[in-house]
Amino acid sequence: MKTLITSNTKLNKSLGYSSLLNYQEQCSNSPPSLHALAESSCSFLHLIIADVSDDDEEIAAQALKCLGFMIYHPSIVATIPGENAKMVLESLAKHIIATKMKSICNLGVWCISVQQIEASVLAAHSNSLLQAVVHALDNPIGSLSTTFEAMQAVMKLVAQLRGKMRELSHIWVPPIYRRLLSDDKRERDMSERCLLKIRSTIIPPPPFLSKVIVQDLKKMLLSRMKDLLNKGMKVQSIQAWGWFIRILGSHAMKNRHLINDMLKLPEQTFSDRNPQVQLASQAAWEGLIDALIHPQILDIRLEAILENDVQQSKTSAKNIGEMQSNRFFKSTKLIMTPLKGIISSKCDVSVHLTCLNTWCYLLHKLDTSVNSPSVIELVLDPVFEAIFRSGPDCQSIWLWDFCLGLLDDLISLKFGDMSFDLNGQVSPYLSDRLSVSGASISSKSSWKCYPIKWLSQDLGHLGFYLKMISIIISHASKQTAMLQTKSLACNAALRIFGSVLKAAQTELKNESLSYETIMLCLKTILGFIKMTCEGACTEGGAGNDLILTSLKLIEVVTKESSPSILGSPLYKVALDLKYVGNMQIVDLRNENFLHQSSIAYMDMVSPMVYLIVLYISVVVQLTLISHELDHVLQGLQKLFKFVLSHYDPLEYLLVSIDLLYKHKGRNCMQIWMAMAKGLTDYIDGAKYLYQLKTEFNSSSYTAVCYLLSYPFLVWSSSLEILIPLEVGGSLNDSVSLSGKKLQHTVEVWKSLYGSICTTNSISSEINNFTADLCSMLSQCLDEKANLFECGSELDVSSMDLTLNFLFLSGEGIVCVLEQILSSDMNSDGIISGHECNCRTFSGINSVLEFAARYLKMSCIKIAAESATCLVISSRVFSALAGLLGCIHLKQDIVSFFEIISSPALQWLSHVEIPDQRVKHQLGILWSEILNCLQRSQPPIMFDTSFLKLQANLLEKALCHPNSSISDPTIAFWNTTYGMHTKLDYPSNLLHVLDKLSRNGRINLQKRSVPFLKRCYSTLADETVPQRYRVTATHNRSSKRVELMGTIVNQFEKGDKLPSSSKPKKRELTEHQKEVRRAQQGRDRDCARHGPGIWTYTSVDFSQGNEDSPESQDIRNPEAILEMFRKAA
């Protein structure tokens, strides 16, 4: 091959180069052949260089092809000495410029584009090489292939000599960018591809390059762009504009007239309706971003100024720095102007995507300056606001998701859970999601993920975040918005708000944070929530979704914020809620009933109190416009439990109860149930009331009493509101409560009361708590009783309200009584069994008074034949009977009797009770009362004074038609009052006693015969003993009285009758005197026998006589016994 190449004949040379080319191709797959070629490369190289300048185009072309392989393959290049390499480069540069043959020029440039010569050797000949490449770029021959090879050579040299090529860019770049305005699309495409490859080397542009393009723009490029624009080649024109403005760089601000003329072009393309023109405009606009924004531009400019004049005063330096900053912000504002217009307009989706991509490129170029508050306001705020205001519709949902993700990433950096590197930060979730979204929207739109250098934010950005959340959440109040849109908006707002609170909480832990900063943060957050809640309530029914979301915002604050901040007494805020201010005008609270401190408008309260008041006020307003409140009430229940568990329970309990008492409408009963359930959950979860368990008169227990009294207060005051209304109007629709809801109220009330009683082991506290509660409930019953006088004037529905109130009251007293019976209170004398000690239950009187008031009211309602009223009354009777079974002390029994007497009399006075269960339980209670009186310790003296106390009850009970009441009463009389020798009967009992005594059912006063009584007690026989015997004599008008043997024997043993055994003579009534005269006025009987022992009829004229019928013929047996005693 060498011989052929060295031959002087064209044929041999051509054959030799053809063979060498084939061998080179084979060497690529054969290392031994490649090694042999490398060893002989130097000898071939001189021959090849000599033939490159051959006039024969074929020989020169073959020589250049073989040369290109030798300087391309690394194995061969490594064996080429430096001098030979220099010779190769000089020869290539020389022949590219000198040749007139297109193929030779192309191959020469091609050799430069493929060579692998060391950079040091290339740098030594960079000028000559660039001169040759520029010559090819200028393309004097007019070959498109030459231009292509030249641009390839440029890209190769830039890769090898980056620094040198940047310095000399003003030489080789202009021929490339000038071709962007070529009429040939292929030239434009080649130029753009080349510029994209070398972009990082020439951008930002060196000063010399900027100066060159300034001259070119003024001479021809600007006019050429305008021509293309006028010809309708808008896309080509604006694409070239983007590169020109990018290469112009910082010189753009120094050539304002030029830049103003250039900006007229995008003004026309941005407003074009053709999406392709708009897309090209967006891509070109990144060129302006490159020209005006580059990393740390402010610092660089300021440092340069200070270095130029070290002696310059600090004031002047500061002024110059501010001037540079103003220029920077003006440039940024200029960049944002069309972006804001496009993102807020109704454009094609692909246009919005490209616009957003351009905007993200701006964020990337801003570097760390993107975290500046002024930049956030200028760059982030308008785009976020435009997208969030547009809403998550089907066409822009990806825009919505993108901005939400970007905003969330910005906020979430507070926690350090984002990935950082030296070049910036970007969320992987965001990058993957947006690349997919971009590809799915348009195949012509490519999304580029630019890293954004978010830095850890401080509380200074809090206002910006809350503004965005407010815009997002506003979609929930739009009547025309779809349910899905409202749901997406609410969920997004809660998500971002949660991130904001977490970030703020992290910042608030910083010990260097000032008190003023903390207060500003709290006021900002509370102000946002207040604005949202009040706006939601103003919307009315159309804003239900917004109201629910506003409540969730409050829940997020309470759970994400530290109790040390929200509950601290150091951080007080004004209670500036409009609802509280309006509520003060009409205060529904009964001052005589509630004696707690009240919150008022503009009071200074803790943030947690502020939130609780706001939450409850919103729920109250929601109850007026919606009936679907289960979810809301569950939220209130959980919130109430959370607050009681993490904050001072007494403070927030009092605040909540105070608010509750200012709303006595039926709609607020649901709120009460939620609060009661929350308190119950808190008590059951804690298993002990260490916060509430103080002395028995503590405010904690009093607060719970007020909470438990609220349902009774609501129901007791309802008729008071209804009385002024026109009688006969329909009240069911407005105030009546269904049986199901009323039953639910009772269940909640019982659950809360039971939790309190079973949790605290100190019975004295529970006793006093129960006593206070029953006293409060008794006041409610008294208020209700005062309204009963108007009952006849009210319609049926109003009376139904009374029955509902009685149902609630009856369930309450039953619950209290059953709790007392089920509790192990040995120390207080009330236990579940029948044992007791000498102590008493301290609150028994209050409980009994509550029960007595209920029984009085329920007794009045018997006439209405209310089944509910009768059933509850029956249970009350049963519970009272059970309580009586555990009471044994005289003072408790007497107290019980005195309190229950009045309602018992009312119930006993009702002859016709329509319910058999009530009759039965009333009889059991009455029997238990009578039994309790008899087993009292110490015993009760059933004398005249106590008889007067029982007279009214006995009058009704002795002759009661219900045998379960009358029979125990008669037995009670015979074993108590019937055993006494002297009683003064009340006048109201005389007719009853007369009737029963004449029927032989009761015993009256018993004569005092202690001797006979002792004799009677010695008899073993259970029958009444025969103390004397009367026998007839022959004289039919006389009888003989003989003492029985047992009595005589007792006399013989020395027993004596007491001196007082002789009964005191009593004055007889007129009727008795007439009977005596009728019997004693006869001297003889009908047979006219002599006088015998006078006899009396069976009528006993002395009170309390219990002599048997056998003694009716004895005139005075005591006198006869006295005669026997004297004889003995």
Side-chain angles (χ1 to χ4, degrees):
M1 289 185 291
K2 186 182 295 184
T3 302
L4 292 173
I5 291 174
T6 56
S7 174
N8 293 326
T9 63
K10 177 183 177 181
L11 182 60
N12 291 335
K13 278 184 177 291
S14 178
L15 182 59
Y17 279 115
S18 298
S19 300
L20 181 59
L21 284 174
N22 291 332
Y23 184 74
Q24 288 176 339
E25 292 176 359
Q26 295 174 3
C27 289
S28 299
N29 299 323
S30 177
S33 300
L34 185 62
H35 180 70
L37 181 61
E39 290 180 352
S40 59
S41 60
C42 292
S43 59
F44 277 106
L45 198 59
H46 289 281
L47 296 175
I48 293 173
I49 292 175
D51 290 334
V52 167
S53 58
D54 197 300
D55 294 335
D56 191 300
E57 184 177 0
E58 182 181 356
I59 299 299
Q62 289 179 325
L64 286 172
K65 291 178 182 179
C66 292
L67 178 63
F69 182 84
M70 287 187 173
I71 62 178
Y72 163 73
H73 206 286
S75 299
I76 299 177
V77 172
T79 62
I80 300 175
E83 293 298 326
N84 291 345
K86 293 178 181 180
M87 180 180 62
V88 171
L89 296 176
E90 290 174 355
S91 175
L92 288 174
K94 177 182 177 181
H95 286 87
I96 291 171
I97 296 174
T99 186
K100 301 297 182 181
M101 295 179 286
K102 181 182 70 172
S103 61
I104 301 303
C105 181
N106 290 350
L107 287 172
V109 177
W110 171 77
C111 288
I112 296 176
S113 67
V114 298
Q115 52 79 27
Q116 299 287 347
I117 299 174
E118 292 183 2
S120 59
V121 178
L122 290 174
H125 297 81
S126 58
N127 290 333
S128 59
L129 288 173
L130 280 177
Q131 187 178 0
V133 172
V134 170
H135 173 78
L137 287 171
D138 289 337
N139 195 7
I141 303 175
S143 173
L144 190 62
S145 60
T146 303
T147 304
F148 174 79
E149 295 298 344
M151 290 185 183
Q152 296 297 317
V154 166
M155 290 185 282
K156 181 65 176 181
L157 292 175
V158 168
Q160 293 176 308
L161 304 172
R162 183 184 180 85
K164 191 68 175 180
M165 292 295 285
R166 177 176 172 79
E167 292 178 7
L168 301 174
S169 60
H170 61 284
I171 298 175
W172 56 270
V173 172
I176 299 175
Y177 66 64
R178 288 171 189 150
R179 293 187 179 276
L180 292 171
L181 296 176
S182 173
D183 292 332
D184 193 333
K185 181 179 183 300
R186 293 174 295 176
E187 272 193 322
R188 296 195 304 268
D189 293 343
M190 285 190 295
S191 298
E192 188 169 8
R193 284 195 298 267
C194 181
L195 289 172
L196 288 172
K197 289 287 186 180
I198 64 176
R199 175 177 173 174
S200 60
T201 302
I202 64 174
I203 303 299
F208 290 109
L209 177 59
S210 298
K211 291 179 180 179
V212 171
I213 198 171
V214 168
Q215 297 301 319
D216 285 348
L217 285 168
K218 291 179 179 180
K219 289 180 181 179
M220 60 175 181
L221 296 181
L222 183 57
S223 60
R224 177 61 177 163
M225 285 189 293
K226 292 180 180 179
D227 291 341
L228 291 177
L229 193 64
N230 294 331
K231 292 179 181 179
M233 300 177 67
K234 297 181 180 180
V235 174
Q236 295 82 354
S237 177
I238 197 64
Q239 286 176 344
W241 182 93
W243 281 108
F244 294 159
I245 199 70
R246 184 179 284 114
I247 296 173
L248 189 60
S250 59
H251 272 66
M253 302 305 297
K254 298 178 181 180
N255 297 271
R256 293 188 177 182
H257 293 291
L258 176 62
I259 197 68
N260 288 336
D261 285 342
M262 292 186 68
L263 287 174
K264 294 178 181 179
L265 272 74
E267 284 181 6
Q268 300 180 46
T269 57
F270 273 124
S271 59
D272 197 285
R273 294 184 178 181
N274 187 348
Q276 295 301 321
V277 177
Q278 292 180 348
L279 293 175
S281 302
Q282 296 296 328
W285 203 246
E286 293 184 9
L288 183 63
I289 296 175
D290 286 334
L292 303 181
I293 307 295
H294 52 82
Q296 302 176 350
I297 185 173
L298 296 178
D299 295 339
I300 294 174
R301 290 177 177 178
L302 183 58
E303 290 176 3
I305 293 172
L306 294 177
E307 289 175 359
N308 291 335
D309 191 358
V310 179
Q311 301 300 326
Q312 194 174 18
S313 65
K314 293 183 179 180
T315 304
S316 299
K318 180 179 180 180
N319 293 336
I320 294 176
E322 291 178 353
M323 181 177 62
Q324 295 293 334
S325 298
N326 291 335
R327 289 180 180 176
F328 167 76
F329 290 118
K330 286 182 180 179
S331 300
T332 306
K333 186 177 181 180
L334 172 64
I335 295 171
M336 285 298 301
T337 300
L339 300 182
K340 292 189 293 184
I342 292 175
I343 206 69
S344 58
S345 64
K346 294 183 179 181
C347 300
D348 188 79
V349 178
S350 60
V351 177
H352 276 147
L353 173 64
T354 307
C355 180
L356 202 61
N357 206 166
T358 303
W359 177 68
C360 288
Y361 182 70
L362 173 61
L363 298 180
H364 163 70
K365 293 293 290 185
L366 286 170
D367 201 67
T368 56
S369 299
V370 72
N371 300 279
S372 169
S374 55
V375 173
I376 288 178
E377 180 181 359
L378 184 62
V379 179
L380 291 176
D381 190 298
V383 175
F384 279 153
E385 181 175 356
I387 293 176
F388 291 149
R389 286 195 185 281
S390 65
D393 55 41
C394 58
Q395 293 184 348
S396 61
I397 184 63
W398 63 270
L399 280 172
W400 173 278
D401 289 341
F402 166 75
C403 287
L404 283 178
L406 192 63
L407 182 60
D408 201 13
D409 288 346
L410 172 61
I411 300 169
S412 299
L413 286 177
K414 261 299 171 194
F415 307 102
D417 55 358
M418 305 297 294
S419 58
F420 293 88
D421 54 35
L422 296 177
N423 297 323
Q425 171 272 327
V426 65
S427 167
Y429 158 78
L430 205 57
S431 301
D432 297 341
R433 177 183 176 122
L434 289 174
S435 61
V436 174
S437 299
S440 63
I441 292 173
S442 174
S443 58
K444 297 180 180 179
S445 300
S446 59
W447 180 268
K448 299 176 183 178
C449 295
Y450 299 106
I452 304 172
K453 290 187 177 181
W454 299 123
L455 299 179
S456 182
Q457 305 296 310
D458 55 27
L459 295 176
H461 298 85
L462 186 60
F464 164 71
Y465 300 143
L466 296 179
K467 176 185 176 182
M468 294 300 107
I469 297 172
S470 179
I471 295 173
I472 293 171
I473 205 174
S474 64
H475 293 282
S477 62
K478 295 181 179 179
Q479 296 183 2
T480 58
M482 299 175 61
L483 292 178
Q484 183 181 5
T485 300
K486 293 182 179 181
S487 177
L488 289 173
C490 293
N491 293 336
L494 292 173
R495 165 189 163 192
I496 300 299
F497 188 66
S499 298
V500 169
L501 288 179
K502 290 179 181 177
Q505 183 62 29
T506 303
E507 186 67 23
L508 290 175
K509 293 179 181 178
N510 187 357
E511 296 181 356
S512 63
L513 209 62
S514 65
Y515 174 82
E516 290 75 14
T517 304
I518 296 176
M519 287 301 302
L520 179 61
C521 174
L522 291 174
K523 290 179 180 179
T524 303
I525 294 175
L526 295 178
F528 162 74
I529 297 178
K530 170 199 170 186
M531 178 189 67
T532 304
C533 292
E534 291 182 347
C537 294
T538 303
E539 293 290 337
N544 279 0
D545 294 316
L546 184 57
I547 293 177
L548 298 177
T549 304
S550 64
L551 293 176
K552 291 181 180 179
L553 290 177
I554 300 177
E555 295 173 6
V556 172
V557 175
T558 57
K559 294 178 181 178
E560 296 294 344
S561 301
S562 172
S564 61
I565 298 293
L566 295 184
S568 173
L570 301 176
Y571 309 116
K572 297 285 188 177
V573 294
L575 191 63
D576 56 351
L577 303 177
K578 293 180 181 179
Y579 185 82
V580 176
N582 297 334
M583 186 173 57
Q584 298 299 316
I585 299 175
V586 182
D587 190 353
L588 298 177
R589 186 182 56 183
N590 187 341
E591 297 293 345
N592 295 326
F593 185 80
L594 186 62
H595 301 285
Q596 300 294 327
S597 59
S598 174
I599 56 173
Y601 183 66
M602 296 306 293
D603 279 355
M604 300 303 293
V605 297
S606 67
M608 193 66 241
V609 171
Y610 188 99
L611 293 172
I612 287 293
V613 174
L614 182 58
Y615 195 100
I616 295 177
S617 65
V618 173
V619 176
V620 170
Q621 296 175 77
L622 186 59
T623 59
L624 300 175
I625 60 177
S626 176
H627 300 287
E628 300 295 332
L629 298 177
D630 292 343
H631 185 68
V632 175
L633 296 175
Q634 289 177 6
L636 177 58
Q637 176 183 342
K638 294 178 181 178
L639 177 65
F640 203 62
K641 177 187 176 182
F642 179 84
V643 172
L644 294 178
S645 302
H646 294 81
Y647 298 86
D648 177 18
L650 175 59
E651 178 183 3
Y652 299 100
L653 195 59
L654 291 176
V655 168
S656 303
I657 294 173
D658 180 72
L659 273 177
L660 205 56
Y661 270 81
K662 291 176 180 177
H663 303 86
K664 296 198 296 185
R666 284 306 155 70
N667 57 305
C668 293
M669 281 303 303
Q670 300 178 81
I671 300 177
W672 173 86
M673 284 191 282
M675 293 171 57
K677 288 179 181 179
L679 179 58
T680 303
D681 293 342
Y682 161 66
I683 295 172
D684 294 342
K687 296 303 180 185
Y688 59 95
L689 295 176
Y690 65 93
Q691 293 97 338
L692 296 175
K693 187 170 65 177
T694 55
E695 295 184 2
F696 61 88
N697 277 328
S698 67
S699 299
S700 301
Y701 280 106
T702 305
V704 177
C705 286
Y706 282 125
L707 184 63
L708 288 171
S709 301
Y710 180 77
F712 296 84
L713 179 66
V714 170
W715 286 97
S716 66
S717 60
S718 61
L719 285 181
E720 188 174 15
I721 300 175
L722 295 175
I723 287 175
L725 298 178
E726 182 180 356
V727 177
S730 177
L731 303 176
N732 272 333
D733 296 337
S734 59
V735 297
S736 63
L737 193 62
S738 67
K740 183 177 180 180
K741 291 185 177 180
L742 184 61
Q743 185 62 41
H744 191 197
T745 302
V746 171
E747 292 173 358
V748 173
W749 195 94
K750 288 182 176 181
S751 178
L752 176 56
Y753 178 77
S755 295
I756 295 174
C757 292
T758 56
T759 301
N760 197 341
S761 60
I762 303 179
S763 57
S764 59
E765 295 182 1
I766 295 301
N767 293 348
N768 287 275
F769 162 73
T770 301
D772 293 341
L773 175 62
C774 290
S775 297
M776 292 183 181
L777 300 183
S778 296
Q779 294 182 35
C780 295
L781 285 169
D782 290 340
E783 293 179 7
K784 195 71 173 181
N786 294 333
L787 300 174
F788 266 39
E789 297 177 358
C790 303
S792 58
E793 301 176 4
L794 295 175
D795 58 11
V796 176
S797 60
S798 302
M799 299 308 294
D800 289 341
L801 292 174
T802 304
L803 295 176
N804 289 336
F805 174 74
L806 288 176
F807 174 79
L808 182 63
S809 302
E811 289 285 359
I813 186 58
V814 170
C815 177
V816 171
L817 292 173
E818 289 178 349
Q819 186 64 44
I820 293 174
L821 292 174
S822 63
S823 300
D824 185 8
M825 299 182 179
N826 290 320
S827 61
D828 291 311
I830 302 298
I831 58 176
S832 58
H834 295 285
E835 299 178 359
C836 67
N837 54 27
C838 297
R839 300 186 183 181
T840 59
F841 175 56
S842 57
I844 189 64
N845 288 348
S846 298
V847 176
L848 294 177
E849 288 172 358
F850 178 35
R853 284 173 170 83
Y854 167 77
L855 291 176
K856 287 181 180 179
M857 291 183 61
S858 62
C859 187
I860 298 175
K861 299 300 296 181
I862 291 181
E865 297 186 359
S866 170
T868 301
C869 180
L870 292 172
V871 170
I872 299 301
S873 299
S874 174
R875 294 176 57 197
V876 173
F877 290 147
S878 177
L880 287 173
L883 179 64
L884 271 175
C886 302
I887 296 179
H888 301 271
L889 299 183
K890 177 180 179 180
Q891 62 187 71
D892 287 340
I893 294 173
V894 173
S895 177
F896 183 98
F897 186 80
E898 291 175 347
I899 295 172
I900 297 299
S901 293
S902 179
L905 178 62
Q906 288 181 280
W907 278 92
L908 291 175
S909 300
H910 277 281
V911 178
E912 296 295 334
I913 298 178
D915 193 286
Q916 294 298 324
R917 289 172 296 179
V918 178
K919 291 182 179 180
H920 178 67
Q921 292 298 333
L922 178 61
I924 293 176
L925 174 60
W926 178 246
S927 298
E928 192 60 44
I929 292 175
L930 299 178
N931 293 334
C932 188
L933 293 173
Q934 297 178 79
R935 67 168 181 265
S936 171
Q937 296 295 330
I940 295 175
M941 296 299 296
F942 295 97
D943 51 11
T944 300
S945 60
F946 198 75
L947 179 59
K948 291 180 180 179
L949 180 63
Q950 282 190 291
N952 293 331
L953 285 171
L954 292 176
E955 178 186 5
K956 302 297 182 183
L958 285 171
C959 61
H960 200 277
N962 186 357
S963 59
S964 62
I965 295 176
S966 59
D967 290 348
T969 308
I970 293 173
F972 169 79
W973 176 275
N974 290 332
T975 56
T976 54
Y977 298 108
M979 299 298 294
H980 280 256
T981 58
K982 181 180 179 181
L983 287 174
D984 293 333
Y985 298 116
S987 59
N988 61 325
L989 280 179
L990 294 179
H991 69 284
V992 177
L993 294 176
D994 177 66
K995 178 180 178 180
L996 294 176
S997 63
R998 284 187 286 107
N999 293 336
R1001 298 193 63 188
I1002 65 169
N1003 301 326
L1004 297 179
Q1005 277 189 346
K1006 181 179 181 180
R1007 293 189 179 278
S1008 179
V1009 284
F1011 173 75
L1012 296 178
K1013 184 177 181 179
R1014 285 198 299 269
C1015 294
Y1016 164 75
S1017 62
T1018 59
L1019 297 178
D1021 194 349
E1022 295 181 356
T1023 60
V1024 178
Q1026 187 176 357
R1027 293 172 293 177
Y1028 37 81
R1029 183 175 59 194
V1030 180
T1031 57
T1033 61
H1034 295 284
N1035 189 351
R1036 297 181 59 185
S1037 62
S1038 64
K1039 297 178 181 179
R1040 179 178 301 167
V1041 179
E1042 300 179 18
L1043 292 177
M1044 301 304 295
T1046 54
I1047 298 178
V1048 176
N1049 292 337
Q1050 288 175 1
F1051 278 118
E1052 292 177 353
K1053 292 179 180 179
D1055 293 338
K1056 298 182 180 180
L1057 291 172
S1059 58
S1060 61
S1061 59
K1062 184 177 180 181
K1064 184 178 179 181
K1065 186 176 181 180
R1066 299 183 183 183
E1067 184 178 356
L1068 302 177
T1069 64
E1070 292 298 327
H1071 176 69
Q1072 291 171 336
K1073 291 178 180 178
E1074 291 179 2
V1075 173
R1076 176 166 294 182
R1077 284 194 296 268
Q1079 292 179 345
Q1080 293 180 351
R1082 296 173 298 182
D1083 294 336
R1084 296 182 179 273
D1085 58 9
C1086 59
R1088 302 199 57 87
H1089 289 243
I1093 298 177
W1094 296 105
T1095 61
Y1096 296 90
T1097 64
S1098 60
V1099 178
D1100 188 357
F1101 299 109
S1102 62
Q1103 299 178 16
N1105 184 17
E1106 292 183 7
D1107 292 344
S1108 62
E1110 296 179 359
S1111 64
Q1112 61 185 350
D1113 294 334
I1114 302 176
R1115 178 179 178 181
N1116 195 337
E1118 287 80 4
I1120 298 173
L1121 291 175
E1122 179 64 20
M1123 180 180 59
F1124 276 107
R1125 183 183 65 79
K1126 291 180 179 181

